[in-house]
């Protein structure tokens, strides 16, 4: 993958958190933090598509001794995530994508506002990759947008138009990520909705 493709979110990185807060208030952060209490101490955690890592400090504070592998395609997002942390000794930052995962298994995989960037066929492959990188009782936490109401579809259309306009995405519609994740490798154990049921924060366990 070329550098330009890898860093497509660089141009929005400096104001990403401000924009998310302006549009969604605290809903995105609340969704990201929903399942952090379920992570046991000294867990190995893979954060895939971590963005600016706004929830990382709370993850590390809540879970003594846990180690985090933070994979992000935007170098500028990684730089911001590092600045947001007072101490990153327990975090390994990896500039890459789901194609650059460490060769090991994890207790927890976290993907926040990540699965909305892929087609259904691509997400099928990623789901299999996540399953292969989780330990036998591993958990997958997913926070992302869903389509339940008419205004959800309108909002998603506007969001995809925006990210296409800045050349961060080429996708035009949201994949049915919950169905794909549960179809073969995972079962959903809990879910909570935010922002008028436009955002789901779900936990899955390996079948």
């Amino acid at each position: 993958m070329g550098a330009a493709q890898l860093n497509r979110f660089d141009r929005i990185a400096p104001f990403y958190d401000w924009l998310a807060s302006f549009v969604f208030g605290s809903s995105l952060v609340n969704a990201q933090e929903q399942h952090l209490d379920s992570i046991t101490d000294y867990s190995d955690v893979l954060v895939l598509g971590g963005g600016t890592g706004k929830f990382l400090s709370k993850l590390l504070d809540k879970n003594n001794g846990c180690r985090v592998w933070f994979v992000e395609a935007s170098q500028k997002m990684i730089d911001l995530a590092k600045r947001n942390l007072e101490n990153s000794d327990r975090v390994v930052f990896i500039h890459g994508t789901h194609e650059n995962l460490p060769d090991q298994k994890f207790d927890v995989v976290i993907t926040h506002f990540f699965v909305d960037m892929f087609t259904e066929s691509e997400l099928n492959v990623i789901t299999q990759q996540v399953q292969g990188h989780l330990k036998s009782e591993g958990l997958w936490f997913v926070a992302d947008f869903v389509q339940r109401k008419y205004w959800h579809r309108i909002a998603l259309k506007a969001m995809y138009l925006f990210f296409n306009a800045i050349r961060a995405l080429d996708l035009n519609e949201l994949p049915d990520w919950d169905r794909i994740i549960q179809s073969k490798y995972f079962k959903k154990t809990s879910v909570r909705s935010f922002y008028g049921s436009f955002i789901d924060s779900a936990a899955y366990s390996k079948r």
Side-chain angles (χ1 to χ4, degrees):
M1 181 179 291
Q5 180 77 6
L6 193 63
N7 294 296
R8 295 180 76 180
F9 274 78
D10 275 6
R11 69 188 68 189
I12 198 176
F15 55 92
Y16 180 85
D17 285 337
W18 175 88
L19 181 63
S21 178
F22 178 77
V23 177
F24 297 105
S26 61
S27 295
L28 266 65
V29 174
N30 292 338
Q32 291 172 332
E33 296 178 351
Q34 173 63 28
H35 294 100
L36 297 186
D37 288 333
S38 302
I39 302 174
T40 58
D41 290 345
Y42 300 98
S43 292
D44 289 338
V45 180
L46 172 66
V47 177
L48 185 53
T52 63
K54 199 166 184 179
F55 67 97
L56 265 182
S57 292
K58 185 163 285 189
L59 168 63
L60 296 170
D61 290 344
K62 281 179 171 288
N63 305 284
N64 293 329
C66 78
R67 298 182 299 171
V68 177
W69 282 255
F70 187 94
V71 180
E72 169 55 48
S74 166
Q75 183 60 55
K76 288 189 177 179
M77 290 284 196
I78 290 177
D79 294 341
L80 288 169
K82 289 179 177 179
R83 287 180 215 159
N84 289 334
L85 284 178
E86 292 183 4
N87 188 340
S88 59
D89 290 347
R90 288 190 281 147
V91 182
V92 176
F93 290 95
I94 299 172
H95 183 211
T97 69
H98 59 284
E99 298 174 348
N100 309 109
L101 300 184
D103 185 19
Q104 66 182 83
K105 290 185 180 290
F106 298 91
D107 299 287
V108 177
V109 173
I110 297 174
T111 56
H112 290 155
F113 305 98
F114 172 78
V115 295
D116 57 23
M117 298 190 296
F118 300 94
T119 65
E120 294 203 351
S121 60
E122 290 170 336
L123 190 51
N124 272 304
V125 174
I126 291 170
T127 298
Q128 186 173 355
Q129 286 180 310
V130 171
Q131 189 269 349
H133 280 80
L134 275 172
K135 297 177 183 178
S136 59
E137 297 183 359
L139 298 171
W140 185 4
F141 299 148
V142 182
D144 222 307
F145 301 103
V146 293
Q147 298 185 78
R148 293 195 180 98
K149 302 177 182 179
Y150 179 70
W151 70 267
H152 294 172
R153 292 191 290 274
I154 296 174
L156 282 166
K157 182 66 174 177
M159 289 165 58
Y160 279 116
L161 284 172
F162 170 74
F163 284 108
N164 274 264
I166 65 170
R167 299 181 180 179
L169 287 179
D170 300 314
L171 198 66
N172 292 309
E173 61 181 8
L174 183 73
D176 188 357
W177 53 268
D178 179 66
R179 174 186 58 79
I180 292 170
I181 291 172
Q182 292 194 79
S183 61
K184 186 174 181 181
Y185 298 109
F186 294 91
K187 60 181 178 180
K188 186 159 57 180
T189 58
S190 68
V191 63
R192 183 180 173 187
S193 296
F194 299 85
Y195 201 77
S197 298
F198 188 32
I199 299 166
D200 271 4
S201 184
Y204 302 88
S205 61
K206 288 180 68 169
R207 292 186 182 276

